[in-house]
Amino acid sequence: MKNFIYICFLTIVLAGCHSELDYEGKSIFRYNEPSGISTLDPAFAKEQSIIWAVNQMFNGLVQMDNDLNVMPCIAKSWAISNDGLTYTFALRDDVFFHDSEQFKNGSRAVDAQDFKFSFERLISTETAAPGAWVFQKVKAFNATNDSTFTIILKEPFTPFLGLLTMKYCSVVPQEIVETLGDQFGRNPIGTGPFKMKLWVDNEKLVLLKNDNYFENENGTQLPFLDAVAISFIPDQQSAFLEFSKGNLDFISGLDAGYKDELLKADGSIQPAYANRLTLNTLPYLNTEYLGINMQSTHPALQNLKFRQALNFAINKEEMVKYLRNNIGTAAQAGMVPNGLPGFSKKAEYGYSYHSDKAKALIKESQLDLKTIPPLEIVTTANYRDLCEYVQNAWQKVGIPVNVNVVPSSHLRELKANGEADVFRASWIADYPDAENYLSMFYTDNFTPNGPNYTFFSDSTFDSKYQDVRRNVDEQKRKMLSISCDSLVMYQAPVIPLFYDQAIRFYHNSIQNLEGNALNLLELKNVKKL
């Protein structure tokens, strides 16, 4: 009955827009985004909440499969020149943009010029997109004809195809983007398996099936779902209640408010839920960390030994055990997570728990902890418990510290503007290569136009990082990546906390909800019984 009431409510919401559809009996996948969604423009798909929604609506040249292999998408094939500089893509001719009154004939096919426009728009200073950095090493984009698109690099870059799978690199229609300007993010038109129907701020986003989608599964056109409904319930416990009542189909990640309700201490599902929910854990290329603003005026944060002491003072294994129910692995190496070339348990420099060493380093720093202002860790409510654990660990070695809980939008603003001294963050790989993590510390990638939120700058690192980008020998790239990561860890602009696992709970009526180590939400193959 509750399911029927929800479907009727959705039908009423959609009335007038799509009144001829009867949503009773239709398959609607429902999930919650507690932090909301600020835009649906793929050029600004910086946060996971945006990436997940944009992924349902847009496509690029290539895409990742569940094993992180690069697969065709709008590009049916490609060739790479012997010198590694020229990538030539052959495009499909059966990919159409979503229907829109702004097209002369209601819709039109995607061509190579659309990719040239989309990519040049991404790097335009006028757009000021956070993803502009992904094409730093591109020399030119060329549309040879409607079905042939070429990218010419300034220098070889081994993971370039993987980089093109990022949602930043989605294709958008030039005439609609130019007509709507900044409003394109509120009125998106893409090529994906779903298209936008309704967006109510702070309430919901509704996407409908794209009947003209170009991909199929064993001859059956995708997607299988009729709609996707995304709610914006900010309180995780309230969202969990809706999930337990069947009003949401899926929740992702762990929250302190419900983790013990769903999971045993060893990370397995509680018996009360075992027969009606599916627990799915995946390797996840995500490093959870605390960032330190290297341009901070706080006197202690400019002290190398003090920053190192902050790392040694935290018992990360205990944190994962008690706060994460053993979901994840203590980050005792560097920022590059387990599962990628460039990760090494025997790195030149990492941090395990050693409170005596932390105290000794504080003494060597010659700082008087009684006179310095307290550190402030800025975080969101979802990670309050984790940051309070760190607060307690630092206080045990004499470091004064406060925890400041702010809305996620405010935290993003503080990070982008360099206004947070210490902040909780995570780095989810955009593409599966250690270089992606190392890009966070490259001088030219300072925020807000790049991913360097800590304002770390080191000429030796920059030189080695450039070698990582250029070198085509995988073993040499691996050793260079380990060296870069160790250099960063020695300087300690970040405090890696744990390497994550993706954890998903969904009702047994959901089928084919798969994923990969990038934790992308892929719904085009999902079925709902």
Side-chain angles (χ1 to χ4, degrees), residues 262-279:
L262 284 176
L263 294 180
K264 298 178 184 178
D266 64 0
S268 61
I269 196 165
Q270 293 282 8
Y273 293 94
N275 293 329
R276 57 192 180 98
L277 296 181
T278 298
L279 165 62

Side-chain angles (χ1 to χ4, degrees), residues 94-327:
D94 59 348
V95 181
F96 290 82
F97 287 111
H98 299 154
D99 292 343
S100 172
E101 295 178 355
Q102 297 185 63
F103 290 123
K104 291 181 180 179
N105 298 315
S107 183
R108 69 167 177 83
V110 174
D111 59 32
Q113 184 60 41
D114 290 310
F115 277 101
K116 179 176 171 61
F117 168 77
S118 300
F119 291 178
E120 289 179 346
R121 171 181 181 254
L122 183 65
I123 62 177
S124 167
T125 55
E126 184 177 345
T127 305
W133 60 273
V134 303
F135 289 141
Q136 280 181 336
K137 298 301 181 182
V138 170
K139 181 179 180 180
F141 304 110
N142 296 320
T144 306
N145 52 49
D146 285 352
S147 61
T148 306
F149 180 66
T150 302
I151 302 175
I152 302 173
L153 303 185
K154 300 173 184 176
E155 60 187 43
F157 181 43
T158 304
F160 185 66
L161 276 177
L163 186 147
L164 289 175
T165 67
M166 296 171 61
K167 301 319 295 182
Y168 289 133
C169 304
S170 301
V171 68
V172 296
Q174 179 173 354
E175 63 268 50
I176 293 182
V177 171
E178 290 179 343
T179 298
L180 294 179
D182 292 342
Q183 291 303 305
F184 180 73
R186 294 289 307 186
N187 303 275
I189 296 293
T191 59
F194 299 93
K195 55 187 178 182
M196 195 187 82
K197 176 52 64 175
L198 177 73
W199 187 358
V200 181
D201 284 334
N202 303 317
E203 291 187 27
K204 67 177 67 63
L205 172 65
V206 178
L207 310 178
L208 297 184
K209 176 179 181 177
N210 174 14
D211 291 323
N212 295 317
Y213 190 57
F214 61 95
E215 290 190 289
N216 68 81
E217 183 179 283
N218 299 322
T220 302
Q221 186 182 20
L222 299 176
F224 297 116
L225 295 167
D226 294 304
V228 177
I230 307 168
S231 59
F232 304 130
I233 304 170
D235 181 68
Q236 292 279 42
Q237 287 182 295
S238 298
F240 173 69
L241 180 61
E242 292 301 302
F243 174 69
S244 64
K245 292 191 298 184
N247 293 334
L248 294 174
D249 295 305
F250 158 89
I251 55 174
S252 174
L254 281 182
D255 182 81
Y258 61 73
K259 68 179 181 68
D260 294 323
E261 171 75 11
L262 284 176
L263 294 180
K264 298 178 184 178
D266 64 0
S268 61
I269 196 165
Q270 293 282 8
Y273 293 94
N275 293 329
R276 57 192 180 98
L277 296 181
T278 298
L279 165 62
N280 183 222
T281 57
L282 301 165
Y284 189 15
L285 299 182
N286 173 37
T287 300
E288 296 282 342
Y289 69 99
L290 296 178
I292 296 172
N293 183 350
M294 298 294 282
Q295 295 181 348
S296 169
T297 58
H298 193 291
L301 295 180
Q302 296 301 316
N303 189 298
L304 172 61
K305 293 185 182 298
F306 181 80
R307 294 196 304 272
Q308 292 174 340
L310 294 177
N311 278 271
F312 282 117
I314 304 170
N315 189 335
K316 301 169 186 177
E317 290 185 334
E318 183 182 77
M319 172 191 292
V320 171
K321 179 178 180 179
Y322 292 110
L323 298 186
R324 298 277 304 174
N325 293 58
N326 276 327
I327 302 297

Side-chain angles (χ1 to χ4, degrees), residues 404-466:
N404 181 16
V405 178
V406 301
S408 56
S409 58
H410 187 44
L411 177 55
R412 288 195 295 268
E413 182 180 347
L414 292 174
K415 286 165 52 184
N417 295 332
E419 295 175 354
D421 286 343
V422 182
F423 53 88
R424 192 225 63 91
S426 60
W427 186 262
I428 303 169
D430 299 303
Y431 47 92
D433 194 281
E435 181 274 336
N436 188 224
Y437 287 84
L438 302 177
S439 70
M440 300 169 59
F441 307 103
Y442 185 48
T443 300
D444 288 353
N445 284 344
F446 276 5
T447 185
N449 297 319
N452 189 340
Y453 296 104
T454 62
F455 299 95
F456 175 80
S457 181
D458 183 277
S459 58
T460 302
F461 173 88
D462 288 348
S463 177
K464 289 186 176 183
Y465 171 73
Q466 287 285 8

